[in-house]
Amino acid sequence: MQSQRVWLLGFWASPFVQRVKWALKLKGVEYEYIEEDLFDKSSLLLKLNPVQKLVPVLVHNRKPISESILILEYIDEVWKQNPLLPHDPYERAQARFWAKFAEEKVRESTWDALCSRGEEREKAVKSSIEALEKFEEELKLKGTKFFGGETIGFVDLVAGFISYQLPVFEEVGSMKILDSSKFPATFDWIYNFLNHPVIKDDLPAKDLMFDYYAKRSKEISDEKDSCRNA
Amino acid sequence: MQSQRVWLLGFWASPFVQRVKWALKLKGVEYEYIEEDLFDKSSLLLKLNPVQKLVPVLVHNRKPISESILILEYIDEVWKQNPLLPHDPYERAQARFWAKFAEEKVRESTWDALCSRGEEREKAVKSSIEALEKFEEELKLKGTKFFGGETIGFVDLVAGFISYQLPVFEEVGSMKILDSSKFPATFDWIYNFLNHPVIKDDLPAKDLMFDYYAKRSKEISDEKDSCRNA
């Protein structure tokens, strides 16, 4: 399988793409990376993901797979080495639950916080903190280095944005979400995650992220204002 | 495995619970059903699903599993008979993609249509139709009786609400989403789905659904109005 050609269509700042890159690296799968311009989408992307028109798209055996979490499941099923999901069905269900939680509760509320202003932002910051409290509790309960135990797994890859992207969101939005006194287990996890050999050498540059998210945050909140005033 | 006790905490009108009931029935798994009052949640539910406090919760070997789609994955991993997901990793990724699409694009937009009014409803109806157009295209491409081929599978169970709940939403909201001239493949699928022996004997009563959703739709849109006027 590994000798067959693997492509990844991505976008440098996307946390959805980032988790797929990490997964391929953890598995030792070689692939060709194609950077996509999300503001001027290529005909290749539109052909490979006509339903969503989004990255990441993994192409394996000439077949395209979309949706980053589903791509992780695919990678784990095709390349068995260094499993991302646990073997036991109950443990698998738990891992999938926390990955979904990180994606839908933590990520969406932090993104809303970045892209809103005033009261709406305050509300989103509160939701982000509430979601992180549950994340913190689960990490404490597990008591392991990573969600995946002593090694990085499915939940860690999906939640990875908390370690490197959320601090940029906080800086761009001049807002405080990650408080080390409130989230000690999460801070330990962040430290372990960012120092993992696969992760530390594969992160977008912080200054480029800052500029990109400052611009996106302004564009999106301006759009919302113009909608509101329309 | 099958001799071990299985419980399902559910709510009669929930399409998320319904898909789990169908899956257990397709697998021939006996279980004890516990009806939950979502407007006065039991201490059992709060104990079994403290993070979301939602149904369905499947309890197997005294361990609770939440999130209906993840419960379907669990059921398919534990009870191998009558597989819900295909065997091939690429086909599995496709099934998961369309299940997620039905859940997030079709279901959420039809729910928004039910619970909104005026321009907001028109927008949600338009989104529902656009999502169903993609669903229709995929069904046409497959050309099989069900998403799962000649037998019901993962996507069918997740998309099942389209067959019996969406027509009630349309009636409650006096809105037209499912148009047989526009969605012939979807109408064939609905016919096949509702006539499947496992499905046809396990559907909530239409008159009860009508009353329930009429009430919920009014409550939610009244809340939105009061938020807007606040």
Side-chain angles (χ1 to χ4, degrees), chain A:
Chain A
M1 277 288 192
Q2 273 161 284
S3 65
Q4 285 158 343
R5 206 168 161 196
V6 179
W7 293 350
L8 175 64
L9 269 75
F11 177 67
W12 69 274
S14 162
F16 313 111
V17 173
Q18 197 60 53
R19 59 177 71 136
V20 175
K21 282 184 177 177
W22 290 329
L24 291 168
K25 218 168 160 183
L26 276 167
K27 295 282 188 178
V29 176
E30 289 197 15
Y31 65 97
E32 196 176 319
Y33 178 74
I34 302 167
E35 178 73 9
E36 186 61 40
D37 180 355
L38 288 192
F39 305 93
D40 182 18
K41 293 177 181 177
S42 72
S43 54
L44 182 66
L45 175 62
L46 304 182
K47 194 183 148 198
L48 293 175
N49 189 359
V51 176
Q52 302 174 306
K53 307 176 178 70
L54 294 174
V55 292
V57 180
L58 185 81
V59 187
H60 181 220
N61 293 338
R62 298 172 182 265
K63 288 176 181 164
I65 301 127
S66 307
E67 285 282 358
S68 65
I69 292 185
L70 306 185
I71 295 175
L72 295 189
E73 294 257 10
Y74 177 84
I75 289 174
D76 212 29
E77 288 177 2
V78 170
W79 294 280
K80 307 282 187 195
Q81 62 275 29
N82 305 326
L84 303 178
L85 279 166
H87 181 70
D88 172 71
Y90 176 74
E91 296 299 326
R92 291 165 76 84
Q94 291 305 100
R96 287 179 177 129
F97 177 88
W98 285 104
K100 194 169 156 67
F101 183 86
E103 180 80 340
E104 292 179 5
K105 300 296 167 186
V106 185
R107 204 200 56 79
E108 286 182 13
S109 54
T110 55
W111 177 252
D112 287 347
L114 179 75
C115 298
S116 55
R117 299 290 179 265
E119 259 183 58
E120 214 182 311
R121 171 172 284 173
E122 274 172 44
K123 223 172 124 182
V125 166
K126 197 169 164 268
S127 299
S128 305
I129 292 171
E130 283 167 3
L132 280 166
E133 280 166 358
K134 294 191 170 152
F135 192 80
E136 171 78 11
E137 268 174 51
E138 181 61 14
L139 270 169
K140 272 190 188 154
L141 260 177
K142 283 196 86 76
T144 46
K145 205 168 163 188
F146 299 107
F147 264 100
E150 290 312 305
T151 181
I152 279 180
F154 197 75
V155 186
D156 302 289
L157 296 185
V158 175
F161 67 91
I162 296 171
S163 72
Y164 75 97
Q165 192 195 43
L166 180 51
V168 175
F169 283 13
E170 289 182 289
E171 213 177 315
V172 168
S174 308
M175 54 195 184
K176 194 72 198 160
I177 294 172
L178 282 169
D179 179 340
S180 62
S181 67
K182 213 169 170 172
F183 301 122
T186 306
F187 268 75
D188 283 350
W189 172 81
I190 289 176
Y191 179 84
N192 293 331
F193 189 78
L194 292 178
N195 283 291
H196 188 284
V198 160
I199 309 302
K200 73 175 173 192
D201 295 329
D202 200 345
L203 287 165
K206 211 184 155 188
D207 54 342
L208 294 182
M209 279 199 286
F210 184 90
D211 293 346
Y212 175 73
Y213 287 114
K215 193 168 163 262
R216 287 298 292 142
S217 154
K218 193 179 173 315
E219 281 167 359
I220 294 171
S221 69
D222 285 354
E223 273 168 36
K224 279 194 203 161
D225 278 339
S226 68
C227 293
R228 232 178 258 135
N229 299 334

Side-chain angles (χ1 to χ4, degrees), chain B residues 197-217:
Chain B
V198 160
I199 309 301
K200 73 175 173 192
D201 294 328
D202 199 345
L203 287 164
K206 211 183 155 186
D207 52 344
L208 294 182
M209 280 198 286
F210 184 90
D211 293 345
Y212 175 74
Y213 287 114
K215 192 168 165 265
R216 288 297 291 141
S217 152

